[in-house]
Amino acid sequence: MPSSLLSPNPAVNPDRSATRRRKNKIQREESLGNISQQQNPPIQWKSDAQQQIYSSKLLQALRQVREGNCSPAQKSAPRRVREAADKVLAATAKGRTRWSRAMLTNRLKIKFMEKHNIAKRQQSVITAVTRGNSRSTKKSKVRILRLKTKSLPAVQRKTRVLSRLVPGCRQQPLPVVLEEATDYIAALEMQVRAMTALAELLSVSGTGSGSSSSSDGHSHPSSSHPPTN
Amino acid sequence: MSGRRSRSRQSGVSRITEDQIADLVAKLQQLIPEIRSRRSDKVSASRVLQETCNYIKNLHKEVDDLSERLSELLESSDGAQADLIRSLLV
């Protein structure tokens, strides 16, 4: 079929590293998003489809956590689960938001730092990956201008706290922080929903494993004793 | 999402307008359940920011609790159930 020969998307090379493949996928998806839909629509975190995507990816990651134990055994198990959940959340966001990109690069940064301990190179990597946001000098100008309208120190303080809470937004001006925060909150809510559902499933199946109950509900509860006189 | 609005990142003078910020604050206000239930339009920006910080902290804590619970469940359950769940989810 000539259309397949002329298709612009080459097949994904399997022998590329995972991070490069992810970056290629992000760039390609973003360019596709620009062409077909207007300008990178934000992820609908409330949709069930997103939650399903996240849940399946999370399950894969959790199984790796359980079996692989690839991370050094310094971290406790809940910490590993949390990191896996965050990593999958950032991956589900497809790198369209700053916080997801910051979360993804944070993992790489920590691993890199543990190996090579090069602090300065981290700064350049982070600024390069977060789309050239190296505006440390201009940030002070932005802040001074903002002081004219928001001279209340309370608002500034809370803005700073908020920018610390949302990953990747420490040096960002206020509107960027607010935008990132809205997306981040929606993503966190979805993460909570998905993990709750997963925990419920696991706990239910865990307690019901002894009686080898099937997944659909029985008409009679298995724990009730038969009525004896 | 970052390209949705006109970029206010000019070199030198920033063109962040009050309206833009108020718009974003209002949107944030809709997301936070505590403020949304109040239904008052006179919530100050400081209050919205405060509630946002609290809400994010709460969500973080919930995720931590859930991941602790999941880690315990993962250790106790065996692999067969994970496969079952995966087939249910996909």
Side-chain angles (χ1 to χ4, degrees), chain A:
Chain A
M1 304 264 299
S3 60
S4 63
L5 288 176
L6 293 174
S7 75
N9 281 338
V12 176
N13 291 337
D15 46 354
R16 293 201 180 185
S17 67
T19 50
R20 277 189 73 191
R21 200 182 330 141
R22 191 180 288 157
K23 273 193 198 167
N24 280 340
K25 207 196 289 186
I26 287 172
Q27 287 166 6
R28 238 187 304 141
E29 282 199 11
E30 282 198 339
S31 62
L32 281 181
N34 276 333
I35 293 170
S36 53
Q37 309 147 12
Q38 312 99 305
Q39 276 185 342
N40 280 349
I43 307 249
Q44 294 301 319
W45 291 106
K46 292 211 169 161
S47 65
D48 282 339
Q50 283 299 323
Q51 192 165 334
Q52 294 230 341
I53 294 175
Y54 177 71
S55 303
S56 50
K57 284 192 189 171
L58 178 63
L59 200 55
Q60 279 178 343
L62 286 180
R63 282 169 73 198
Q64 280 179 0
V65 163
R66 207 168 46 97
E67 299 162 4
N69 269 344
C70 50
S71 68
Q74 304 153 4
K75 304 177 195 165
S76 59
R79 181 78 201 152
R80 285 207 297 264
V81 170
R82 168 83 200 259
E83 284 185 359
D86 286 345
K87 196 165 29 168
V88 173
L89 189 68
T92 311
K94 298 204 178 104
R96 282 181 194 157
T97 48
R98 266 189 195 85
W99 62 261
S100 57
R101 291 194 288 265
M103 266 165 123
L104 289 173
T105 53
N106 261 344
R107 309 284 176 247
L108 299 173
K109 179 173 85 164
I110 290 175
K111 280 189 193 168
F112 197 61
M113 219 154 160
E114 282 172 358
K115 281 188 195 173
H116 297 279
N117 208 7
I118 305 172
K120 283 200 180 156
R121 197 177 285 184
Q122 308 309 316
Q123 299 292 331
S124 60
V125 165
I126 295 298
T127 45
V129 174
T130 54
R131 300 282 167 85
N133 267 336
S134 56
R135 300 184 300 136
S136 49
T137 54
K138 287 164 190 157
K139 164 185 75 84
S140 53
K141 278 194 191 167
V142 168
R143 192 176 284 169
I144 289 173
L145 280 175
R146 234 187 13 244
L147 272 179
K148 282 201 290 191
T149 54
K150 290 174 188 40
S151 53
L152 300 170
V155 172
Q156 256 198 319
R157 205 173 48 221
K158 289 173 183 156
T159 309
R160 198 163 306 142
V161 170
L162 183 60
S163 65
R164 273 209 307 266
L165 279 176
V166 181
C169 294
R170 281 180 195 238
Q171 313 271 339
Q172 305 295 329
L174 181 60
V176 172
V177 172
L178 292 179
E179 269 198 68
E180 294 288 319
T182 49
D183 192 63
Y184 188 54
I185 287 181
L188 279 181
E189 285 174 350
M190 190 216 70
Q191 187 179 22
V192 165
R193 280 199 302 268
M195 286 173 81
T196 311
L198 200 57
E200 291 294 317
L201 276 176
L202 275 177
S203 64
V204 164
S205 68
T207 54
S209 68
S211 57
S212 70
S213 59
S214 59
S215 54
D216 46 358
H218 295 285
S219 56
H220 57 276
S222 55
S223 60
S224 69
H225 298 294
T228 58
N229 287 339

Side-chain angles (χ1 to χ4, degrees), chain B residues 4 6 12 23 36-39 48 60 62 65 73 78:
Chain B
R4 208 151 35 91
S6 61
D23 204 14
R36 196 172 50 201
S37 51
R38 297 279 183 95
R39 280 286 168 196
V48 171
H60 280 165
E62 276 197 49
D65 291 341
L73 285 171
D78 57 7

Side-chain angles (χ1 to χ4, degrees), chain B residues 59-89:
Chain B
L59 287 174
H60 280 165
K61 185 165 178 314
E62 276 197 49
V63 172
D64 276 334
D65 291 341
L66 278 172
S67 48
E68 188 157 336
R69 195 172 153 199
L70 274 178
S71 68
E72 289 170 12
L73 285 171
L74 276 181
E75 280 170 32
S76 55
S77 72
D78 57 7
Q81 283 143 13
D83 289 323
L84 170 70
I85 290 162
R86 194 168 164 208
S87 62
L88 284 176
L89 283 174

